Short mmCIF file of all heavy atoms in Angstrom, two decimals:
data_model
loop_
_atom_site.label_atom_id
_atom_site.label_comp_id
_atom_site.label_asym_id
_atom_site.label_seq_id
_atom_site.Cartn_x
_atom_site.Cartn_y
_atom_site.Cartn_z
N SER A 225 -5.10 -1.00 -17.18
CA SER A 225 -6.48 -0.86 -16.70
C SER A 225 -6.43 -0.73 -15.19
O SER A 225 -5.51 -1.27 -14.55
CB SER A 225 -7.30 -2.10 -17.12
OG SER A 225 -8.59 -2.07 -16.55
N VAL A 226 -7.39 -0.04 -14.61
CA VAL A 226 -7.44 0.05 -13.15
C VAL A 226 -8.89 -0.14 -12.70
O VAL A 226 -9.84 0.17 -13.44
CB VAL A 226 -6.91 1.39 -12.60
CG1 VAL A 226 -5.42 1.54 -12.85
CG2 VAL A 226 -7.66 2.59 -13.16
N THR A 227 -9.04 -0.63 -11.49
CA THR A 227 -10.35 -0.74 -10.85
C THR A 227 -10.24 -0.04 -9.49
O THR A 227 -9.49 -0.50 -8.64
CB THR A 227 -10.74 -2.20 -10.61
OG1 THR A 227 -10.70 -2.93 -11.85
CG2 THR A 227 -12.14 -2.29 -10.02
N LEU A 232 -15.73 3.43 -5.70
CA LEU A 232 -17.00 3.57 -6.42
C LEU A 232 -18.14 2.79 -5.75
O LEU A 232 -19.25 2.78 -6.25
CB LEU A 232 -16.83 3.08 -7.85
CG LEU A 232 -15.96 3.99 -8.74
CD1 LEU A 232 -15.62 3.30 -10.06
CD2 LEU A 232 -16.64 5.34 -9.00
N ALA A 262 -7.64 2.21 -19.00
CA ALA A 262 -9.06 1.86 -18.95
C ALA A 262 -9.49 1.74 -17.48
O ALA A 262 -8.67 1.53 -16.61
CB ALA A 262 -9.29 0.53 -19.66
N VAL A 263 -10.78 1.89 -17.25
CA VAL A 263 -11.29 1.82 -15.88
C VAL A 263 -12.45 0.79 -15.84
O VAL A 263 -13.36 0.84 -16.65
CB VAL A 263 -11.82 3.16 -15.37
CG1 VAL A 263 -12.39 3.00 -13.94
CG2 VAL A 263 -10.72 4.20 -15.38
N ARG A 264 -12.38 -0.15 -14.88
CA ARG A 264 -13.50 -1.02 -14.56
C ARG A 264 -14.23 -0.36 -13.41
O ARG A 264 -13.63 -0.08 -12.37
CB ARG A 264 -13.08 -2.41 -14.16
CG ARG A 264 -12.44 -3.26 -15.24
CD ARG A 264 -12.35 -4.75 -14.81
NE ARG A 264 -13.57 -5.46 -15.13
CZ ARG A 264 -14.54 -5.74 -14.29
NH1 ARG A 264 -14.47 -5.42 -13.01
NH2 ARG A 264 -15.62 -6.38 -14.70
N GLY A 265 -15.53 -0.19 -13.54
CA GLY A 265 -16.32 0.39 -12.45
C GLY A 265 -16.80 -0.71 -11.51
O GLY A 265 -17.46 -1.64 -11.93
N HIS A 266 -16.46 -0.58 -10.25
CA HIS A 266 -16.77 -1.63 -9.27
C HIS A 266 -17.30 -0.99 -8.00
O HIS A 266 -16.55 -0.27 -7.37
CB HIS A 266 -15.53 -2.45 -8.96
CG HIS A 266 -15.72 -3.49 -7.91
ND1 HIS A 266 -16.26 -4.73 -8.20
CD2 HIS A 266 -15.46 -3.49 -6.57
CE1 HIS A 266 -16.30 -5.44 -7.07
NE2 HIS A 266 -15.84 -4.72 -6.08
N GLY A 313 -19.99 8.56 -17.06
CA GLY A 313 -20.30 8.36 -18.47
C GLY A 313 -19.35 7.43 -19.15
O GLY A 313 -19.04 6.33 -18.66
N ALA A 314 -18.85 7.85 -20.30
CA ALA A 314 -17.99 6.99 -21.12
C ALA A 314 -16.61 6.74 -20.53
O ALA A 314 -15.85 5.93 -21.06
CB ALA A 314 -17.86 7.60 -22.53
N ASP A 315 -16.27 7.44 -19.46
CA ASP A 315 -14.93 7.21 -18.85
C ASP A 315 -14.81 5.82 -18.22
O ASP A 315 -13.70 5.38 -17.94
CB ASP A 315 -14.63 8.28 -17.80
CG ASP A 315 -14.37 9.62 -18.43
OD1 ASP A 315 -14.17 9.69 -19.66
OD2 ASP A 315 -14.40 10.63 -17.69
N ILE A 316 -15.93 5.21 -17.95
CA ILE A 316 -15.87 3.85 -17.37
C ILE A 316 -16.50 2.89 -18.41
O ILE A 316 -17.66 2.96 -18.72
CB ILE A 316 -16.63 3.77 -16.04
CG1 ILE A 316 -15.90 4.67 -15.00
CG2 ILE A 316 -16.73 2.33 -15.56
CD1 ILE A 316 -16.47 4.61 -13.60
N GLY A 317 -15.63 2.08 -18.99
CA GLY A 317 -16.05 1.23 -20.11
C GLY A 317 -16.73 -0.05 -19.67
O GLY A 317 -17.42 -0.70 -20.48
N VAL A 318 -16.51 -0.47 -18.45
CA VAL A 318 -17.06 -1.73 -17.95
C VAL A 318 -17.58 -1.50 -16.52
O VAL A 318 -16.88 -0.90 -15.72
CB VAL A 318 -15.97 -2.83 -17.86
CG1 VAL A 318 -16.58 -4.17 -17.43
CG2 VAL A 318 -15.23 -3.00 -19.15
N TRP A 319 -18.76 -1.97 -16.24
CA TRP A 319 -19.28 -1.87 -14.87
C TRP A 319 -19.61 -3.25 -14.31
O TRP A 319 -20.24 -4.05 -14.97
CB TRP A 319 -20.59 -1.04 -14.84
CG TRP A 319 -20.37 0.42 -14.64
CD1 TRP A 319 -20.50 1.39 -15.61
CD2 TRP A 319 -20.05 1.10 -13.43
NE1 TRP A 319 -20.25 2.64 -15.07
CE2 TRP A 319 -19.97 2.48 -13.71
CE3 TRP A 319 -19.82 0.67 -12.11
CZ2 TRP A 319 -19.66 3.44 -12.73
CZ3 TRP A 319 -19.49 1.63 -11.16
CH2 TRP A 319 -19.39 2.98 -11.46
N ASP A 320 -19.16 -3.50 -13.08
CA ASP A 320 -19.73 -4.61 -12.33
C ASP A 320 -21.07 -4.11 -11.82
O ASP A 320 -21.13 -3.44 -10.77
CB ASP A 320 -18.81 -5.01 -11.16
CG ASP A 320 -17.54 -5.66 -11.63
OD1 ASP A 320 -17.58 -6.34 -12.68
OD2 ASP A 320 -16.50 -5.52 -10.94
N VAL A 321 -22.11 -4.41 -12.57
CA VAL A 321 -23.42 -3.85 -12.19
C VAL A 321 -23.91 -4.46 -10.89
O VAL A 321 -24.33 -3.75 -9.99
CB VAL A 321 -24.44 -4.05 -13.34
CG1 VAL A 321 -25.82 -3.57 -12.93
CG2 VAL A 321 -23.96 -3.31 -14.59
N VAL A 359 -25.56 4.35 -19.41
CA VAL A 359 -24.27 4.25 -20.11
C VAL A 359 -24.40 3.16 -21.19
O VAL A 359 -23.91 2.03 -21.01
CB VAL A 359 -23.10 3.94 -19.11
CG1 VAL A 359 -22.65 5.21 -18.42
CG2 VAL A 359 -23.49 2.89 -18.06
N ASP A 361 -23.01 2.47 -23.84
CA ASP A 361 -21.81 1.87 -24.47
C ASP A 361 -20.98 1.04 -23.51
O ASP A 361 -20.01 0.38 -23.92
CB ASP A 361 -20.93 2.94 -25.10
CG ASP A 361 -21.68 3.66 -26.23
OD1 ASP A 361 -22.51 2.97 -26.90
OD2 ASP A 361 -21.49 4.87 -26.41
N ALA A 362 -21.32 1.09 -22.25
CA ALA A 362 -20.50 0.35 -21.27
C ALA A 362 -20.87 -1.13 -21.32
O ALA A 362 -22.00 -1.49 -21.58
CB ALA A 362 -20.73 0.89 -19.88
N LYS A 363 -19.88 -1.97 -21.05
CA LYS A 363 -20.12 -3.41 -20.93
C LYS A 363 -20.59 -3.65 -19.51
O LYS A 363 -19.99 -3.22 -18.53
CB LYS A 363 -18.84 -4.21 -21.16
CG LYS A 363 -18.31 -4.07 -22.56
CD LYS A 363 -19.16 -4.82 -23.57
CE LYS A 363 -18.55 -4.78 -24.94
NZ LYS A 363 -19.45 -5.32 -25.98
N LEU A 364 -21.71 -4.39 -19.39
CA LEU A 364 -22.34 -4.57 -18.09
C LEU A 364 -22.12 -5.99 -17.57
O LEU A 364 -22.48 -6.95 -18.25
CB LEU A 364 -23.86 -4.27 -18.20
CG LEU A 364 -24.17 -2.88 -18.79
CD1 LEU A 364 -25.70 -2.65 -18.78
CD2 LEU A 364 -23.47 -1.74 -18.02
N TYR A 365 -21.54 -6.08 -16.38
CA TYR A 365 -21.09 -7.37 -15.84
C TYR A 365 -21.82 -7.80 -14.60
O TYR A 365 -22.21 -6.97 -13.77
CB TYR A 365 -19.58 -7.30 -15.52
CG TYR A 365 -18.74 -7.71 -16.70
CD1 TYR A 365 -18.67 -6.94 -17.85
CD2 TYR A 365 -18.00 -8.90 -16.67
CE1 TYR A 365 -17.92 -7.33 -18.95
CE2 TYR A 365 -17.26 -9.30 -17.76
CZ TYR A 365 -17.21 -8.52 -18.89
OH TYR A 365 -16.47 -8.92 -19.96
N GLY A 396 -21.49 -9.50 -19.69
CA GLY A 396 -20.33 -10.30 -19.32
C GLY A 396 -20.42 -10.89 -17.93
O GLY A 396 -21.17 -10.42 -17.08
N GLU A 426 -19.20 -12.09 -22.77
CA GLU A 426 -17.77 -11.84 -22.50
C GLU A 426 -17.43 -12.37 -21.10
O GLU A 426 -18.34 -12.50 -20.27
CB GLU A 426 -17.49 -10.34 -22.47
CG GLU A 426 -17.47 -9.64 -23.75
CD GLU A 426 -17.01 -8.17 -23.53
OE1 GLU A 426 -16.65 -7.81 -22.41
OE2 GLU A 426 -17.08 -7.43 -24.50
N GLN A 428 -14.42 -11.76 -17.89
CA GLN A 428 -13.24 -11.11 -17.38
C GLN A 428 -12.82 -11.69 -16.06
O GLN A 428 -13.66 -12.15 -15.31
CB GLN A 428 -13.50 -9.57 -17.22
CG GLN A 428 -13.87 -8.88 -18.53
CD GLN A 428 -13.84 -7.38 -18.45
OE1 GLN A 428 -13.87 -6.78 -17.37
NE2 GLN A 428 -13.81 -6.75 -19.62
N THR A 430 -11.61 -10.51 -12.69
CA THR A 430 -11.81 -9.16 -12.18
C THR A 430 -11.06 -8.82 -10.90
O THR A 430 -10.83 -7.64 -10.63
CB THR A 430 -13.31 -8.94 -11.92
OG1 THR A 430 -13.77 -9.97 -11.02
CG2 THR A 430 -14.10 -8.97 -13.21
N THR A 474 -11.78 -10.80 -21.85
CA THR A 474 -11.49 -9.48 -22.38
C THR A 474 -10.70 -8.60 -21.44
O THR A 474 -10.36 -7.47 -21.79
CB THR A 474 -12.79 -8.77 -22.82
OG1 THR A 474 -13.70 -8.76 -21.71
CG2 THR A 474 -13.45 -9.51 -23.97
N SER A 475 -10.44 -9.05 -20.23
CA SER A 475 -9.42 -8.40 -19.41
C SER A 475 -9.13 -9.22 -18.18
O SER A 475 -9.93 -10.07 -17.78
CB SER A 475 -9.79 -6.95 -19.01
OG SER A 475 -10.62 -6.94 -17.86
#
Side-chain angles (χ1 to χ4, degrees):
S225 173
V226 294
T227 304
L232 290 169
V263 178
R264 292 194 87 260
H266 176 82
D315 290 345
I316 295 183
V318 184
W319 271 105
D320 289 330
V321 176
V359 280
D361 296 328
K363 296 288 185 189
L364 305 183
Y365 269 68
E426 285 186 6
Q428 298 192 343
T430 56
T474 55
S475 84

